[in-house]
Amino acid sequence: MRRGRTLGRFATAAAVVGATFLVFPLLGLLLDAPLSSTVDVIARSSTRSALGLSLIVSFGALAIASVFGLPLAWALARGSFAGRFLLRMLVLIPMIIPPVVAGVGLLAAFGPEGLVGGALDAIGITLPSTTFAACLASAFVGMPFLVIAAEAGFRSVDRDLEDAASSLGASPPATFRRVTWPSAAPFVAAGATLCWVRAIGEFGATVTFAGDTDATRTASLSIYALLRAGNDPGATVLSLIMLVVTVTSLLFVRTYLWPDERARS
Amino acid sequence: MNVLEADFTAPRGDLVLEASLTVQRGETVALVGPNGAGKSSILHVLTGLVPISSGSVMMDSVFWDDAPKDVHIPTHRRDLAVLFQDLRLFPHLNVRDNIAFGLRARGRLEQDISSQVDEVLERFELISKGRSRPKELSGGEQQLVALARAVVCRPSLLLLDEPTASLDNSMRPKVRRILRDVLADQSRANLIVTHEPVDALNLADRVIVVEGGRSGENGPIEEIARRPHSRYAASFVGLNLLRGQLSLAGDHAEVKTELGPLYVADPAIDEGSEVACVFHPNAVTLGIGPPASSARNVFPLEVVAVYAMGGRVRIDLGSLTAEVTPSAVDELGLRAGTQVWASVKATQIEVY
């Protein structure tokens, strides 16, 4: 009894420390933000170009992830081919490896001396240092979020309803458009939001693969550069903006999209 | 003229479907049979959702399935509509859009769709429900919406899977009335799966019995009621049926049934033939001990269940059903598990 109570107290104390540990940096960011200089920082052209580039890169990454990730999710959900289980595991890897490792991998594949990069180089295409490379790096780390959620979405669709649609004369594309897609859409939207959030914050893979140039300096890269340059309020203000963007997206997903009862109704 | 001509085998789980059926234009055929007999699977084959392994399905002289030539017309190109047993209404669409689904798939003009949907909503007494989602409707209303969605496409073949099974008693008369109205349309061939004798009698022109994945007896229900050939068909029309081989011995005939030898009046049928022995449940007399009378067909059996049926009571004895008066139930103390002696007079057994 006594022993149990002591353990309980210890667990409570640990939980409080854990919560504090997670919340304090966010609190610090809020308290540290010098309101007077916020307007000042936002007015800088470098801030606006970094935020603009972040938007371009994150949406570019989302576009790449959607074009290739949704068919992949469909194949994983509905296809029957050897190695599907293995493929499902592989797809998760970009989510869990250190981003810098992802960057090294991308270099090994698409860098000037890489597997595919060599061939691209020969026809005059060099990916690193371009905005497209930043998009690729972000797509690489963000795509698994989209694929997993979309696969779950496609799986959740009631196949009997698809059969009912064909019995009413709907062709396979029409059945997809009018029955399958509306059922899976909340899942896909949630996955797309998570993919986009992951992409807009991307740092490690981007800086390793795409490098730090004017064409690749997104908000994340700017924050790091500003920090290294010295005591500049820009890093804090940009960080705060990123915090607001990501938390808002998370709330959006939780409130409207994540497939709970609300999303299905 | 036959509109639908189907004669096929198809694998279906641990069952092999073997069906042979035809439906004429303007005709309604009922597929009846015990649960798991393959009735719904036959509908799924006709719909094109289950491939056949041999034989063919032909509709309006066009092969929908032709196994030897590897022909398989996909579901969406078959001119049919289905009322699924589980309805399968689209949960994300309201009633109007559910009903309009097939018309949109056929590329009709929006204004025509709208007027046809209005018409069917009125005919099915659903006018006030147009904007409701399926889950806001009662079970009976959902049934009507699913029926409306199928009928509004004016298919050449209408397949109805247990159209009254999931209804509560208050909705059943209304749905039956609308169903009869729908099936009166002479431009279409209709196939109904049902285990309700009332529906087979009221809605169908002809009955096909399906058992163990095979289609068997086939004919107007009156004919099947008069001379059932299978145990299921007999019980479907409320009769007892025992099958066996006929043998003749001196003054009497006898059939070797699962219950033992059954003495029957000489039926003037060749000795050795497989025959059906049919008798009404009220021809079965029950007693607690062996009867003192001269009845020779006496079988010791156990009561499986007791059902009230109108003013009479039906006693399920497994291989036999007896019909007795409520007072007999009290006198004999009949309930599930009671051991009884059932006797049947030879003269009350029809043999064919």
Side-chain angles (χ1 to χ4, degrees):
Chain A
M1 185 70 190
R2 220 185 146 70
R3 188 185 154 86
R5 193 172 297 167
T6 315
L7 264 176
R9 281 193 189 135
F10 179 76
T12 310
V16 170
V17 172
T20 313
F21 171 65
L22 290 178
V23 171
F24 257 37
L26 308 180
L27 205 61
L29 205 51
L30 285 171
L31 295 177
D32 199 30
L35 256 172
S36 53
S37 52
T38 301
V39 180
D40 191 40
V41 171
I42 292 174
R44 289 184 200 164
S45 70
S46 62
T47 305
R48 277 177 288 145
S49 73
L51 286 173
L53 195 58
S54 276
L55 284 179
I56 291 170
V57 167
S58 56
F59 279 108
L62 178 58
I64 294 170
S66 302
V67 168
F68 300 102
L70 291 180
L72 178 58
W74 181 262
L76 288 174
R78 296 290 178 89
S80 55
F81 50 89
R84 190 169 61 145
F85 179 74
L86 187 67
L87 184 61
R88 188 177 292 135
M89 301 298 288
L90 290 176
V91 161
L92 296 183
I93 289 178
M95 236 166 99
I96 52 160
I97 55 170
V100 64
V101 176
V104 173
L106 284 166
L107 268 181
F110 303 108
E113 271 126 55
L115 278 172
V116 188
L120 289 176
D121 208 33
I123 56 169
I125 299 174
T126 310
L127 284 178
S129 308
T130 62
T131 303
F132 185 65
C135 291
L136 275 186
S138 291
F140 184 76
V141 296
M143 200 159 111
F145 290 91
L146 179 62
V147 174
I148 291 170
E151 189 202 340
F154 292 139
R155 266 177 197 288
S156 75
V157 178
D158 186 349
R159 306 288 285 268
D160 286 347
L161 290 182
E162 296 180 336
D163 287 347
S166 358
S167 79
L168 288 163
S171 64
T175 297
F176 181 82
R177 198 175 67 246
R178 299 181 54 204
V179 175
T180 314
W181 182 255
S183 303
F187 290 81
V188 175
T193 310
L194 293 175
C195 168
W196 178 78
V197 171
R198 178 68 187 85
I200 200 168
E202 220 311 297
F203 176 78
T206 312
V207 80
T208 311
F209 172 56
D212 185 10
T213 69
D214 284 347
T216 64
R217 188 167 289 176
T218 58
S220 296
L221 269 62
S222 294
I223 291 168
Y224 188 66
L226 288 168
L227 269 182
R228 289 185 55 118
N231 189 17
D232 189 300
T236 317
V237 173
L238 268 177
S239 299
L240 204 56
I241 292 172
M242 297 299 280
L243 181 67
V244 169
V245 167
T246 47
V247 170
T248 310
S249 308
L250 181 67
L251 287 176
F252 173 70
V253 170
R254 288 299 300 239
T255 313
Y256 296 106
L257 299 176
W258 200 249
D260 59 5
E261 277 311 308
R262 251 170 311 181
R264 252 177 262 157
S265 63
Chain B
M1 187 194 98
N2 288 329
V3 178
L4 175 71
E5 279 182 60
D7 192 344
F8 59 83
T9 66
R12 191 66 172 145
D14 46 4
L15 199 68
V16 177
L17 289 182
E18 258 186 86
S20 172
L21 54 104
T22 60
V23 186
Q24 296 175 9
R25 198 180 302 285
E27 188 186 30
T28 298
V29 172
L31 293 179
V32 304
N35 285 334
K39 307 182 297 286
S40 295
S41 299
I42 290 175
L43 290 198
H44 286 147
V45 167
L46 300 177
T47 310
L49 296 172
V50 172
I52 62 172
S53 45
S54 72
S56 65
V57 174
M58 197 159 72
M59 181 73 195
D60 274 330
S61 314
V62 175
F63 280 109
W64 278 357
D65 277 296
D66 189 12
K69 291 185 181 143
D70 230 8
V71 171
H72 176 76
I73 303 291
T75 301
H76 69 277
R77 287 174 44 213
R78 299 184 178 204
D79 183 16
L80 52 74
V82 189
L83 173 65
F84 291 96
Q85 191 175 1
D86 52 357
L87 305 185
R88 304 190 185 180
L89 294 172
F90 302 117
H92 62 290
L93 301 178
N94 66 25
V95 166
R96 289 193 72 89
D97 290 335
N98 263 285
I99 295 176
F101 194 96
L103 297 171
R104 296 218 167 94
R106 285 164 170 77
R108 302 281 162 75
L109 293 173
E110 255 335 288
Q111 67 208 52
D112 296 347
I113 292 175
S114 184
S115 64
Q116 287 185 52
V117 171
D118 285 339
E119 195 184 308
V120 78
L121 281 175
E122 184 174 353
R123 187 169 157 210
F124 283 48
E125 298 163 34
L126 288 167
I127 289 226
S128 60
K129 306 290 182 185
R131 302 282 162 212
S132 307
R133 293 291 175 99
K135 66 170 185 199
E136 295 160 7
L137 304 178
S138 72
E141 288 165 343
Q142 293 183 14
Q143 190 90 17
L144 287 175
V145 173
L147 183 62
R149 181 178 73 171
V151 168
V152 79
C153 299
R154 300 187 182 285
S156 305
L157 177 64
L158 180 63
L159 306 173
L160 306 171
D161 196 350
E162 300 281 9
T164 60
S166 60
L167 296 173
D168 53 58
N169 287 330
S170 62
M171 279 301 282
R172 215 168 253 148
K174 178 173 171 182
V175 173
R176 285 208 170 113
R177 173 165 51 76
I178 291 174
L179 265 175
R180 209 164 35 223
D181 178 43
V182 161
L183 296 174
D185 182 343
Q186 294 298 306
S187 67
R188 200 173 45 223
N190 306 294
L191 198 57
I192 302 188
V193 164
T194 184
H195 65 258
E196 297 266 354
V198 179
D199 285 334
L201 198 58
N202 279 336
L203 302 173
D205 304 305
R206 193 152 54 85
V207 169
I208 297 177
V209 179
V210 181
E211 267 187 299
R214 288 160 178 262
S215 61
E217 278 166 90
N218 177 347
I221 188 145
E222 298 79 10
E223 199 174 289
I224 289 180
R226 203 160 51 240
R227 291 205 146 192
H229 286 270
S230 67
R231 165 70 60 80
Y232 181 82
S235 73
F236 191 76
V237 294
L239 296 175
N240 284 304
L241 184 148
L242 293 169
R243 298 194 73 90
Q245 200 177 41
L246 181 72
S247 58
L248 302 172
D251 63 329
H252 72 273
E254 141 186 349
V255 178
K256 287 191 173 57
T257 71
E258 59 184 290
L259 286 177
L262 189 68
Y263 296 86
V264 298
D266 191 340
I269 296 174
D270 288 345
E271 189 170 8
S273 308
E274 258 314 284
V275 294
C277 309
V278 175
F279 47 97
H280 194 273
N282 63 22
V284 181
T285 313
L286 298 183
I288 290 302
S293 73
S294 65
R296 279 190 287 189
N297 293 320
V298 179
F299 310 103
L301 294 167
E302 188 181 307
V303 175
V304 177
V306 178
Y307 308 97
M309 249 188 81
R312 309 277 290 176
V313 180
R314 287 239 162 149
I315 313 296
D316 180 356
L317 300 165
S319 329
L320 290 182
T321 302
E323 190 176 290
V324 298
T325 59
S327 59
V329 175
D330 289 341
E331 272 165 39
L332 299 172
L334 297 178
R335 67 180 101 85
T338 311
Q339 298 291 333
V340 294
W341 293 78
S343 55
V344 191
K345 283 215 177 77
T347 49
Q348 290 183 294
I349 302 171
E350 190 180 353
V351 180
Y352 50 85

